[in-house]
Amino acid sequence: MTLAKSFRLAAFAALLGAAVSTGALAQTLTIGVRAGPESIDPHFTATGTHAEALKQVFDTLTWSGDKLQIEPRLALSWKAIEPTVWEFKLRPGVKFHDGSDFTAEDVKFSIERIPVVSGPNPTTIYVRRVKEVKIVDPLTVHVVTDGPAPNLPNDFIRLFIVSHKAAAGLTKDNANEAFNSGKAAIGTGPYKFVSWTPKDQLVLERFDGYWGPKEPWAKVVRKELPNDAARVAQLKAGQVDIIVRAPASDVPTLKRDPKLAVATVESVYLFNIELDLRDKPPQITARDGSALPKNPLQDVKVREAIDLAIDRPALAEIAMEGLGSPANQLVTPTIAGFNKELPAIKPDIARAKKLMEEAGYPNGFKVGFAFTNDRLPGDRQVGTSIAQMLARIGIEVNANAQPGAVFFPARLRGDFSMAMSGWGTLTGEANYTLSSLVHSNDPAKKLGAFNVQNYANPQVDKLIEDAAVEMDEARRNAMLSDVAAIVAKDRPRLPITAVGSAWAMQKDKVTIAPRVDEDTLAMDIRPVKK
């Protein structure tokens, strides 16, 4: 990324800002969201809805564009000056919401605090390659990595920068309190923190000292409405201006409403099922409730049987009501490292039953199956449908749909034997996903942070580690493609469906530029010109 290109982008952004009408600057924007932040500390968790909400308050070092292209943000430019050293040139003249200057001190502080304060769904995955941060001058940092790190700028799209003054001295025990009260919630983003009522609403106000274009919204209210019908009802009643994740079943009706408009996008999120490979799974028994001599999920034939029992086209068309597409690997086709040679996974009940018999489970077994019900469009419906599909091969499923705030901590504790959630490859490259989900869980290497089901394949680990330091893009992508092929054979995780998303809005008030990562940001919503 060159400085010249960065300045051209900044000039274009300023021109867009100048085009916003004076009348629009007095408006309030009310967004109906399915879920909100879990804290106001941006480093607390990597959950997508958490980061989405706080992107408006805290800037990141690099930025992910609407198609996941990497763009300047608080860093104007970056380059690898040595195999293990990245130089980031910082944007001058940036102010925090308290009026203090943004400098290299804040970058160093933010990187170094993440391992200290990160909670559930750890944000450490974004700085795991960082060995040391050196301040060269107030607007230059050198980030020393533990080896060549070609994807470091991609990782830093989730490196939120907090004030080293406002957040100084905070620990894992008191950081949330300081941020949630607003005391430490000092960012450089286009909106300032006003208040947050958990599970209710987040209120922001425009920061007139923002370095970028002036935002049209004087006030932004993000109302948490996890119930799909309630979100639609409030939109129709004019209580919100726009809603996220409009239910697929309502999209045709919403499109016909003359007062409303609908925007859709195919996202980078997909549902996947993780299968517990531990010796003593907590939620697997024989159908009569008695203990089994061994974990049936450790047998690849059982995992294949489960895979073949799932009818992905039906899930996409019926459970997701057309807002989805079948998946055959853990990343979507636009992601670098996607394996184009893998075939579609076709349901085959006869073959699945035969595999169950060969594995010694002709009558199946009983398993708990946990999945979210408020995270991504169709999560409850897809999970419930899968439970019914598995019954056809003798697996009795205890389906347990639950809020993401309950699901994710329990998942990381290892409470589940079979679980489904959504994962988005937000950096645009497959190493982000594969190193987190299918590398063996290795805290020393900071890899496999989300692999809690005990999957370990030395060949997979080596390919992921080699890809992480390979500077040649073609060779790197080939390694990641090979990982996808091995995982497709081992089946520790089963990709299910890619997730589409829809927004519905007041036609005469707002428009939105949809993002493939599904983030709904006030900066992408504009008032309708009248």
Side-chain angles (χ1 to χ4, degrees), residues 388-403:
Q388 296 168 350
M389 291 174 179
L390 296 185
R392 296 183 296 178
I393 62 170
I395 298 178
E396 183 179 335
V397 175
N398 178 20
N400 182 11
Q402 52 194 270

Side-chain angles (χ1 to χ4, degrees), residues 301-323:
K301 290 184 177 181
V302 173
R303 300 199 297 273
E304 183 179 358
I306 292 172
D307 203 14
L308 295 178
I310 297 171
D311 189 335
R312 289 164 174 82
L315 290 174
E317 185 60 31
I318 300 172
M320 302 181 74
E321 302 191 64
L323 273 183

Side-chain angles (χ1 to χ4, degrees), residues 37-86:
E38 297 174 30
S39 161
I40 303 301
D41 185 344
H43 300 150
F44 177 64
T45 179
T47 303
T49 49
H50 179 84
E52 172 193 53
L54 297 180
K55 279 183 178 181
Q56 290 146 123
V57 178
F58 301 93
D59 273 323
T60 49
L61 201 61
T62 59
W63 186 255
S64 180
D66 59 349
K67 299 293 188 295
L68 302 188
Q69 68 275 20
I70 304 301
E71 299 175 352
R73 202 65 173 182
L74 290 181
L76 271 179
S77 65
W78 48 88
K79 61 181 178 180
I81 58 173
E82 295 178 22
T84 60
V85 181
W86 279 88

Side-chain angles (χ1 to χ4, degrees), residues 283 367-374 379-388 396-404 406-408 410-411 413 415-421:
Q283 296 179 323
V367 63
F369 179 36
F371 46 90
T372 58
N373 61 10
D374 65 351
D379 49 7
R380 179 196 291 272
Q381 294 87 341
V382 170
T384 302
S385 298
I386 288 173
Q388 296 168 350
E396 183 179 335
V397 175
N398 178 20
N400 182 11
Q402 52 194 270
V406 176
F407 174 89
F408 289 110
R411 183 194 160 280
R413 288 195 304 267
D415 291 356
F416 305 139
S417 291
M418 188 166 81
M420 184 192 79
S421 61

Side-chain angles (χ1 to χ4, degrees), residues 427-443:
T427 62
E429 47 78 37
N431 193 271
Y432 165 79
T433 290
L434 300 175
S435 63
S436 299
L437 300 184
V438 296
H439 189 286
S440 58
N441 192 302
D442 190 335

Side-chain angles (χ1 to χ4, degrees), residues 304-305 307-310 346-353 355 393:
E304 183 179 358
D307 203 14
L308 295 178
I310 297 171
K346 298 179 180 180
D348 188 337
I349 298 300
R351 169 74 176 150
K353 287 181 177 179
L355 287 166
I393 62 170

Side-chain angles (χ1 to χ4, degrees), residues 237-315:
Q239 295 172 302
V240 296
D241 301 315
I242 184 170
I243 61 171
V244 309
R245 293 167 180 164
S249 59
D250 289 315
V251 166
T253 303
L254 293 170
K255 285 182 175 179
R256 289 193 296 268
D257 191 321
K259 295 181 181 179
L260 304 177
V262 175
T264 60
V265 73
E266 188 165 308
S267 79
V268 293
Y269 280 90
L270 57 80
F271 293 125
N272 70 95
I273 294 175
E274 55 189 350
L275 301 172
D276 189 352
L277 306 185
R278 294 172 294 179
D279 291 335
K280 296 181 178 180
Q283 296 179 323
I284 299 178
T285 66
R287 292 187 63 131
D288 62 4
S290 62
L292 290 169
K294 61 180 180 179
N295 176 4
L297 297 180
Q298 290 181 332
D299 192 323
V300 70
K301 290 184 177 181
V302 173
R303 300 199 297 273
E304 183 179 358
I306 292 172
D307 203 14
L308 295 178
I310 297 171
D311 189 335
R312 289 164 174 82
L315 290 174

Side-chain angles (χ1 to χ4, degrees), residues 100-112:
S100 60
D101 292 327
F102 158 70
T103 70
E105 287 281 357
D106 304 297
V107 176
K108 178 179 171 67
F109 175 81
S110 296
I111 292 174
E112 292 176 348

